[in-house]
Amino acid sequence: MARPYPQAPTLKHRGPSLSGPAGRLTDMDFSLTAELQALSDEATRVGRDATLGLDITEDSWLRGVDHGFPKVMAEHGWLGMSLPTQWGGGGRPAIERFVVVEALISQGAPLASAWFADRQIGPTLLQFGTDDQRHQFLPDIIAGTSAWCVGMSEPDAGSDVASLRTRADRDGDNWVINGSKVWTSGAAESAWCYVIARTDATAAPHAGLSEFIVNLRTPGVEIRPIRDMTDDHHFCEVIFDNVTVDGSMLVGNLNGAFKQIMRQMEHERGGIDRLVSNRRLYLDAVAQAEATGLLSSNPVLRDEFARLEGGYRIGRMLVLREVLGQAPKGFSAVTKTWCTEFEQRVANFCGAIAGPGTMIWGRTARNICYAPGYTIMGGTTQILRNIIGERLLGLPR
Ligand SMILES: Cc1cc2nc3c(=O)[nH]c(=O)nc-3n(C[C@H](O)[C@H](O)[C@H](O)COP(=O)(O)OP(=O)(O)OC[C@H]3O[C@@H](n4cnc5c(N)ncnc54)[C@H](O)[C@@H]3O)c2cc1C
C-alpha cells in the first residue's frame, strides 16, 4: 500500500507548452523544488514537535490556541512571510508561505491565535490601511504577539452581509459602535477585532458599510463564548454597547467596506487551510489502518482512500492557482466548495476506519460532529454555488 502523499506538489511546468504535438500533455513536474521541499520538511518537523503529547485539535488554524506557538513561527520568519520587507515582512514569494502553512496545519500545529492576523489582517492593512495603521499593527502581527478576530456575521446577517445592523455613529473625531456579532472565532483569545459596521443607514444596504479596528478591551465590549456540540467554545458572541473607537481606526474608505470584503474573502476562501483542516486526523487514521491491514483487506475503504488521495491533489492544485495568482476573479468560490466538501469526506472516511470506535467520544467523533461547519464558515456552499453559477458561469438567476 502506497503511503499517503505527505506533501502534494507544486505545478512546475517544464515543457514548452502544456500540450504536445497531438494535444498530449507533455512533461509536467509536480514535485517541489529542493528549497521548497526543505522548507516544507522543516515546517512539518516544527509542527509535529509542537503537537507532541497534545490531544490534537483538528482545525488547528481555527481552534488550536497556544499563544506561545506564534512566537515560534515568528522566530522562523513564518509570520508575515510574504508581506513587503519595507513593513517588516519577509518579502518572500507566496508559494513559500503556502508550503509552510500547509505543513503546519497538516500536523495540527496550534497556530489559531496568529491565523486571522497572518492570513487576512496583515494583507488587508497592506492593501487598504493607512501608514499609521501599518506602523501600529504589522510589527506585532509579524512577531506573533497580537491575536485578531473577524466580526462580520450577526444574528440576522450571515450569508447576506449587506443586511448587517451593527452601527457605527460619528461622535466628533470618534465612532461609537452598537450592535452584536456572532460566531466570532477566537474572540475570547483576541486583543483586536476587525468589525464591519453600518455607517450610513440611508444608503443602499451594501453601500453604507465600513470597517473598523476595535480593541476588545474597550469599555462596552462583552464577549460570550458559545459552546458547540463538540464541547468546544472557540467562537463567541460579541456585544458592542456604546463602544468608542478612535477615528483613525477606520480601515479603507468610509462606506466602502463591501468592495473590501469581497477582496478579503479571496484570502479567506482560497487558502490551503480549507483543504487540510483535518489532515492530521486523516494521516493518523491511514497509518493506523495500514498497520492493522485494514486498508489492504477492505476494498471499499481502499477505493475511498484512492478517491481522497486524488481529491487532495485536485484541491491542492486549485489552492495553488489562487496562491500563484493564476485563478480567475471569484474562483475561490470553486476552490472553497471543492476543498471543504473534501474535508467532510475525510471526516467520514476516518469514521469508517474507526468503525464502531467512532461511537466513543474522541478525535474522530468530534471531527464528524464538527464537519458540517466546513461548508458553512467563510460562506456556505449554497451561496458559493450561487456565485459560481451567476458570476463565474453567467447563468441566469
Ligand atoms: C466554525 C465556524 C466559524 C465561524 N467563524 C466566523 C468568524 O470568525 N467571523 C464571522 O464573522 N463569522 C464566522 N462564522 C459565521 C459564518 O460566516 C456564517 O455562519 C455563514 O456565513 C452563514 O451565515 P448564517 O449562519 O447566518 O446562515 P444563513 O445566512 O442564515 O443561511 C442559512 C441557510 O440558508 C442558506 N441560504 C441563505 N441564503 C441563501 C441564498 N441566497 N441561496 C441559497 N441558500 C441560501 C445557507 O446556505 C444556509 O444553508 C463562522 C461559522 C462557523 C460554522
Side-chain angles (χ1 to χ4, degrees):
M1 175 68 61
R3 293 208 60 77
Y5 213 56
Q7 298 296 330
T10 58
L11 182 61
K12 195 163 44 124
H13 174 229
R14 286 193 175 145
S17 75
L18 286 181
S19 57
R24 204 169 44 80
L25 284 177
T26 55
D27 53 339
M28 306 266 284
D29 183 349
F30 286 85
S31 58
L32 291 174
T33 61
E35 294 78 15
L36 286 176
Q37 188 58 56
L39 185 60
S40 172
D41 291 346
E42 191 191 3
T44 299
R45 182 186 55 72
V46 171
R48 189 153 277 260
D49 286 353
T51 59
L52 284 178
L54 282 188
D55 179 18
I56 292 176
T57 311
E58 264 50 62
D59 310 287
S60 68
W61 59 272
L62 193 63
R63 303 195 294 165
V65 175
D66 170 351
H67 290 289
F69 190 69
K71 292 177 195 141
V72 174
M73 291 176 73
E75 280 161 20
H76 284 83
W78 292 344
L79 288 174
M81 275 179 89
S82 33
L83 294 180
T85 48
Q86 174 201 353
W87 293 107
R92 295 163 74 171
I95 185 78
E96 293 192 14
R97 176 178 183 272
F98 165 88
V99 162
V100 167
V101 296
E102 178 189 43
L104 291 176
I105 302 172
S106 295
Q107 291 303 319
L111 45 76
S113 60
W115 187 249
F116 288 107
D118 188 61
R119 179 184 71 180
Q120 259 158 293
I121 308 298
T124 294
L125 293 181
L126 194 65
Q127 190 171 6
F128 302 111
T130 61
D131 277 1
D132 281 350
Q133 288 167 351
R134 294 175 191 142
H135 280 300
Q136 181 174 352
F137 296 112
L138 291 180
D140 286 346
I141 289 175
I142 293 165
T145 52
S146 74
W148 290 64
C149 58
V150 175
M152 196 174 324
S153 306
E154 296 184 3
D156 294 314
S159 302
D160 183 14
V161 178
S163 68
L164 61 78
R165 291 201 293 226
T166 292
R167 279 184 5 240
D169 299 309
R170 256 194 212 283
D171 178 17
D173 289 342
N174 299 329
W175 292 90
V176 177
I177 301 188
N178 279 287
S180 64
K181 298 288 174 181
V182 74
W183 318 126
T184 315
S185 296
E189 303 285 346
S190 297
W192 302 96
C193 185
Y194 196 80
V195 173
I196 325 290
R198 187 163 299 286
T199 36
D200 184 352
T202 61
H206 66 282
L209 303 174
S210 304
E211 301 185 304
F212 296 91
I213 298 168
V214 179
N215 182 336
L216 288 174
R217 308 288 171 260
T218 314
V221 175
E222 186 188 347
I223 299 171
R224 301 180 191 153
I226 302 170
R227 196 170 286 277
D228 70 17
M229 74 166 143
T230 72
D231 203 29
D232 186 71
H233 42 82
H234 85 278
F235 50 30
C236 305
E237 203 179 353
V238 185
I239 320 290
F240 299 91
D241 181 11
N242 283 319
V243 174
T244 300
V245 175
D246 193 277
S248 64
M249 293 295 115
L250 170 77
V251 181
N253 292 326
L254 180 63
N255 299 323
F258 204 76
K259 246 192 191 153
Q260 295 172 200
I261 294 168
M262 293 305 119
R263 181 71 196 93
Q264 288 151 14
M265 282 295 183
E266 300 284 306
H267 294 295
E268 191 174 340
R269 291 179 176 157
I272 192 68
D273 42 315
R274 299 297 180 186
L275 184 70
V276 294
S277 299
N278 52 3
R279 187 148 180 84
R280 178 68 190 268
L281 180 70
Y282 172 79
L283 294 173
D284 290 348
V286 167
Q288 187 199 345
E290 276 187 313
T292 58
L294 188 64
L295 265 189
S296 48
S297 64
N298 184 322
V300 176
L301 278 184
R302 215 169 50 236
D303 192 42
E304 181 61 359
F305 172 68
R307 285 177 204 274
L308 289 177
E309 286 293 305
Y312 184 74
R313 288 162 174 75
I314 292 169
R316 194 170 189 266
M317 286 302 159
L318 297 178
V319 173
L320 275 166
R321 290 188 69 192
E322 308 282 346
V323 169
L324 299 174
Q326 295 172 356
K329 198 161 169 245
F331 195 79
S332 63
V334 177
T335 305
K336 182 180 180 270
T337 300
W338 175 274
C339 292
T340 52
E341 289 184 350
F342 169 85
E343 289 175 327
Q344 289 174 338
R345 281 174 50 198
V346 165
N348 288 339
F349 175 71
C350 294
I353 287 179
T358 309
M359 306 288 280
I360 299 166
W361 194 237
R363 278 176 74 195
T364 310
R366 279 204 304 263
N367 195 232
I368 288 173
C369 291
Y370 184 79
Y374 292 139
T375 52
I376 297 174
M377 60 177 118
T380 71
T381 288
Q382 291 81 4
I383 295 295
L384 298 180
R385 286 205 155 95
N386 284 351
I387 293 174
I388 294 166
E390 291 166 12
R391 290 196 221 149
L392 294 181
L393 300 176
L395 300 176
R397 277 170 174 254

